[in-house]
């Protein structure tokens, strides 16, 4: 309906409302990635975001291939930013909480043990994010998104 020349105000209003809801849905999906999510949930969210991008591609008149590539790069950046929010929030929650020994640690071994636990959790979560990213966005080695973002090592290192 959107592509047809139509001067009906009702149709125009409905299309505008759908576009607004599409933006809300995109925000909601990205917000889901800001929490602790499993690989299947990540895949579901990214698939839904790609479908929203395909709807936008249908309405464009410009070069669809270059637009698709830029949308895919934006999706990758949005994914990494959302997962970074989760990483930062989980780290902040842990650092603002009390020690596992029931308060402030008085021994150096307790402090170093807490620090090692924090480093291990952080390393595990960064590895989880990198694994999710590589599984979702690097499934097709022939895609040009790696070239658009730089080398895959740079993307993994920034995750």
């Amino acid at each position: 309906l959107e592509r047809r020349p139509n001067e009906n105000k009702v149709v125009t209003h409905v299309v505008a409302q759908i576009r607004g809801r599409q933006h809300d849905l995109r925000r909601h999906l990205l917000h889901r990635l800001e929490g602790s999510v499993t690989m299947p949930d990540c895949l579901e969210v990214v698939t839904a975001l790609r479908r929203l991008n395909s709807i936008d591609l249908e309405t464009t008149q410009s070069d669809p291939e270059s637009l698709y590539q830029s949308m895919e790069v934006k999706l990758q950046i949005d994914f990494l930013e959302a997962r970074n929010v989760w990483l930062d929030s989980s780290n902040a929650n842990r650092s603002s909480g009390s020690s596992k020994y029931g308060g402030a640690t008085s021994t150096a071994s307790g402090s170093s043990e807490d620090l090692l636990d924090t480093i291990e959790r952080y390393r595990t979560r960064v590895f989880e994010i990198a694994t999710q990213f590589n599984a979702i966005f690097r499934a097709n080695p022939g895609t040009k998104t790696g070239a658009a973002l730089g080398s895959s090592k740079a993307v993994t290192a920034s995750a």
Side-chain angles (χ1 to χ4, degrees), residues 33-36 82-90 125 128-129:
L33 291 174
E34 292 176 0
S36 178
R83 299 308 288 148
N84 191 47
V85 168
W86 170 69
L87 183 64
D88 288 346
S89 68
S90 62
R125 290 187 173 142
E128 182 179 344
I129 292 168

Side-chain angles (χ1 to χ4, degrees), residues 30-52:
L30 287 171
H31 183 68
R32 278 183 59 190
L33 291 174
E34 292 176 0
S36 178
V37 292
T38 61
M39 176 63 91
D41 291 338
C42 276
L43 192 56
E44 180 182 320
V45 168
V46 170
T47 301
L49 288 167
R50 282 181 172 149
R51 286 181 183 153
L52 287 174

Side-chain angles (χ1 to χ4, degrees), residues 4-23:
R4 294 183 183 161
N6 193 350
E7 298 190 20
N8 188 341
K9 291 181 181 182
V10 174
V11 172
T12 306
H13 182 67
V14 168
V15 168
Q17 284 183 329
I18 290 172
R19 289 289 173 201
R21 291 293 176 202
Q22 182 180 348
H23 180 69

Side-chain angles (χ1 to χ4, degrees), residues 115-131:
L115 180 60
L116 288 174
D117 286 346
T118 301
I119 291 169
E120 181 62 22
R121 270 191 312 282
Y122 190 81
R123 184 197 64 79
T124 302
R125 290 187 173 142
V126 167
F127 182 75
E128 182 179 344
I129 292 168
T131 301

